[in-house]
Amino acid sequence: MTEQDVNKLLAKLPQLKQEIGKVIVGQQEVLDEVLVALLAGGHALLEGVPGLAKTLLVRTLAQATDLPFRRIQFTPDLMPTDILGTEVLEEDHGTGHRSFKFNEGPIFASLVLADEINRTPPKTQAALLEAMQEGHVTYAGQEHALPKPFFLLATQNPIEQSGTYPLPEAQLDRFLLYVRIGYPTEQEEMAVLSGTTGSARPVVNPVLGGEDVRQLQQLTRQVSISQELLSFVNRLVRATRPATSEVPFIKEYGRWGAGPRAGQALILCAKARALLQGRFAATLEDIRTLAPAVLRHRVLLNFNAEAENLTPDDAVTALLKAIQV
């Protein structure tokens, strides 16, 4: 890619945010984190109470990126084949020969919304593991490649636990970011009320195509990061492990720390955030800003922490204070 191609590509990112902003009011931090996950080539888990436009955000992103989009509504009776696909017996009417043909499921799309992922049993949740990690699906011993780019956005509701199946830690670790969506501000909520209860419907124009996303993901990995920041990320992740950590909060309340995948995720996300802001070098601010979304689902606290209403976000705050560049 020439410098002109790169600049032309980067100029589309503000346009992308502008198009999504036609529908999604506020939630800039959430939108940035979702786009960071897309540029970094990972997947994101969105958590928020009902009515905060989680599904609408993903649908609008699909319209603005012009990527093949599929939505999977997770329910207790959903089976793995409902997601991955299944083989059917077909007969050639000319020869009478019968053969099995694989019919692709809804997972075969560039942008997949796994809506309310915690409402389906672990057997069906686990069907996503290979697709998320390897980029392909294995059925009857045959590998079926998923489209590139492949971006999975899952949503879950944190307040209702009846009839839900919490995601196991091994699957949570497959998500690059764990994004929490909060309530809008008073001004934002007024804008939502006035803009969504009338007859006008905003038109979202596609800005990025599949090839643009692939080039941006390659460009993200070329963003530079200093050895000092690499060392900082390494020490930050290692400090999450209670057995070797020197951070008092982790030694007292930590039960399990993050693995090397957390460091890889934090570096890639910092590079993606830098690119999203038009920079070709990651900074300490990028790392500090994204550390909660990268680490909150990879740091497990003990029962003492739960008794004192402490959360993984509190652990990340303590870590960022204790570990210096």
Side-chain angles (χ1 to χ4, degrees):
M1 293 177 66
T2 65
E3 184 179 352
Q4 185 179 2
D5 293 333
V6 171
N7 291 332
K8 185 178 179 181
L9 196 58
L10 292 182
K12 293 183 178 181
L13 291 175
Q15 298 175 26
L16 178 66
K17 295 179 67 174
Q18 185 178 358
E19 290 298 319
I20 296 175
K22 291 179 180 178
V23 177
I24 304 299
V25 178
Q27 304 288 9
Q28 285 303 307
E29 184 179 343
V30 172
L31 177 57
D32 284 346
E33 290 178 350
V34 169
L35 293 180
V36 160
L38 176 64
L39 295 185
H43 311 286
L45 176 64
L46 278 65
E47 181 181 88
V49 298
L52 293 183
K54 298 185 294 296
T55 303
L56 182 62
L57 171 61
V58 183
R59 282 191 175 279
T60 308
L61 176 62
Q63 293 173 343
T65 53
D66 198 25
L67 294 174
F69 171 69
R70 300 294 291 272
R71 177 180 183 270
I72 308 171
Q73 180 63 54
F74 281 75
T75 57
D77 60 347
L78 198 71
M79 298 296 289
T81 51
D82 296 328
I83 300 172
L84 305 180
T86 186
E87 284 188 338
V88 295
L89 185 63
E90 288 192 343
E91 181 178 350
D92 188 326
H93 295 291
T95 63
H97 178 71
R98 293 182 177 183
S99 61
F100 283 100
K101 179 186 176 183
F102 181 71
N103 280 353
E104 297 177 348
I107 195 72
F108 286 85
S110 289
L111 181 56
V112 178
L113 168 60
D115 213 2
E116 296 189 288
I117 191 173
N118 58 335
R119 291 202 175 277
T120 200
K123 175 178 66 174
T124 307
Q125 292 174 356
L128 296 173
L129 288 176
E130 182 185 14
M132 293 170 66
Q133 187 65 27
E134 307 297 338
H136 60 71
V137 167
T138 302
Y139 191 95
Q142 297 292 320
E143 288 186 2
H144 303 273
L146 294 169
K148 293 183 179 180
F150 174 66
F151 183 38
L152 186 134
L153 275 162
T155 67
Q156 67 178 16
N157 177 357
I159 61 173
E160 186 183 355
Q161 299 306 317
S162 176
T164 62
Y165 305 85
L167 291 173
E169 285 75 13
Q171 188 163 356
L172 281 174
D173 194 43
R174 297 300 200 283
F175 287 100
L176 190 75
L177 294 179
Y178 188 162
V179 182
R180 288 222 170 105
I181 303 180
Y183 290 108
T185 64
E186 183 177 356
Q187 292 77 13
E188 291 169 352
E189 197 159 356
M190 278 294 295
V192 170
L193 295 176
S194 62
T196 58
T197 55
S199 58
R201 289 291 181 269
V203 177
V204 179
N205 300 308
V207 176
L208 293 178
E211 183 59 31
D212 293 329
V213 174
R214 283 192 292 271
Q215 290 178 347
L216 283 167
Q217 289 177 346
Q218 293 173 3
L219 203 58
T220 296
R221 289 182 171 268
Q222 297 175 28
V223 173
S224 65
I225 184 169
S226 68
Q227 283 298 122
E228 289 81 3
L229 290 180
L230 283 174
S231 174
F232 172 71
V233 170
N234 188 36
R235 289 184 288 116
L236 182 67
V237 172
R238 292 180 65 83
T240 64
R241 302 163 192 168
T244 57
S245 180
E246 297 297 325
V247 179
F249 186 101
I250 298 298
K251 294 178 73 172
E252 183 176 357
Y253 298 113
R255 180 162 63 94
W256 203 256
R261 188 181 284 147
Q264 295 171 327
L266 190 50
I267 291 168
L268 274 175
C269 288
K271 289 183 174 186
R273 185 176 186 270
L275 197 67
L276 197 60
Q277 297 187 354
R279 293 182 278 109
F280 291 96
T283 65
L284 179 61
E285 182 191 358
D286 295 326
I287 294 171
R288 289 184 175 275
T289 300
L290 291 165
V294 171
L295 295 176
R296 65 166 55 110
H297 56 301
R298 294 181 166 102
V299 175
L300 302 183
L301 303 182
N302 57 27
F303 295 111
N304 293 335
E306 292 180 18
E308 297 185 30
N309 290 324
L310 297 174
T311 66
D313 282 10
D314 297 321
V316 176
T317 302
L319 285 163
L320 291 174
K321 287 181 179 178
I323 308 300
Q324 299 298 322
V325 177

